Amino acid sequence: MNVYDAERMADILEGEGYTATETIEEADLVVLNTCHIREKAAEKVYSELGRIREMKRDRTALGLETRIVVAGCVAQAEGAELLRRAPAVDLVVGPQNYQNLPDLLRQSQKKRLVETEFPAEDKFVSLPAPTAKTIRARGVSAFVTVQEGCDKFCTFCVVPYTRGSEFSRSVDEIITEIERLAASGVREITLLGQNVNAFHGLDEAGSTVSLATLLDRVARVPGIIRLRYTTSHPLDMDDVLARAHRDNAAVMPYLHLPVQSGSDRILDAMNRRHSVADFRAAVASVKRYRPDTAFSSDFIIGFPGETDEDFAATMQLVEEIGFSSAYTFKYSPRPGTPAADMADQVPESVKDSRLQTIQALVTKQQRAFQESMVGRTLDVLVERVGRKPGQIAGKSPHLLAVAFEGSADLIGQVVSVEITESVTNSLIGQLSDRPRAVA
Ligand code: 5AD
Ligand code: SF4
């Protein structure tokens, strides 16, 4: 979502005469888009700001002005504290205020400013669309936020505080945005939301539609051939959505479904509102409709009170499900969240050793999944030229990176690729002359 947000901020700033640069030393304006989900990400902002401050000093010596904006969830959470700790910052702007960036920039010229209100209006309505040239430069696979915020209040998580309560965009607004992307060459859309499968946007008739219906509508947009959505909550994974994995040909056989822990006791303490059995049932329902679905998940290791037995249950769940990939995080206490004040915080050394154990298993599964593709012919959406000369690269239906020899003219098309080799984090193959199985 931060990638998407950064793009939308670039779009609005383009209207103000700014253009993006690859070289930070050249920038008259630096917008730091930030993440508050774990302590490490949040702390990085301050070290980054230190570096940017030095750059600003060098530019000032050359008579150049540099304005510094901190956006994103650290901006939302820290607010005025950022102005205090980082004197070079001109403007602090939360994720719900990007539509006002031009105005805020003007105001902050006179006085350093913090804007972290949750406005009543839909920010997406006032965010300008990217130009055709910008869309082309961003590539054939695009993110579109359809839902934002969260009402679930897991006890470890800052999202309900930084992104606010759940909000779904209207179907009309989403389709208009996607039509525009498709007209400039986008072929794959990933619908985004902190709780994307809780989507409940209004359609043109004023009725509330579910994510499954939205996926159907998006699949009908000419040019869109692949659909993904992330991130989902196990409790919102209903039968209608599971069925879309069979009935909507554009929906790819891949699902990111965070479970966090394999222990009911810990899930309860996390206020996840679902059991391990609910997670198993959600996986099974998607698999029933689309047996070749690959699953990925998120795990928090060392949540307060996590015992060896709880951790063993998590390991067992990973063994049982078999993930194509998984993201594992050491529990990081976040200020203002209930879990940060819980007794029985797990010592860092225990977290470290459990993290290593689970990562070894996840890596093994990831590798095995990739290797299971060798010898198969896969549909690959070609996204870009490859790292080696003459190579092009794209993604398989299961979101695996595939590189092979071919012409850059194929970018934007789905081609058949025979997989010959599995290397670290990608597959190598060759263009097949066999016709593709699926459109
Ligand atoms: N500590 C560690 N991991 C966290 N996540 C969210 N909050 C925390 C935290 N306090 C992880 C969850 C979530 C992912 C986006 O980040 O696994 O699914
Ligand atoms: Fe955070 Fe996801 Fe829980 Fe919402 S459902 S509080 S975003 S972990």
Side-chain angles (χ1 to χ4, degrees), residues 262-263 306-318 354:
S263 156
E306 186 188 74
T307 62
D308 285 342
E309 289 72 34
D310 295 319
F311 178 64
T314 300
M315 288 292 287
Q316 217 216 304
L317 184 66
V318 177
R354 286 181 189 162

Side-chain angles (χ1 to χ4, degrees), residues 37-38 156-158 231 256 258 260 272 298-300 327 329-334 337:
I37 199 87
R38 285 172 292 275
F156 53 80
C157 187
V158 289
T231 291
H256 182 62
Q260 317 296 358
R272 286 288 292 177
D298 290 344
F299 293 91
I300 295 181
Y327 303 87
F329 311 104
K330 273 195 288 185
Y331 169 67
S332 166
R334 308 306 293 123
T337 60

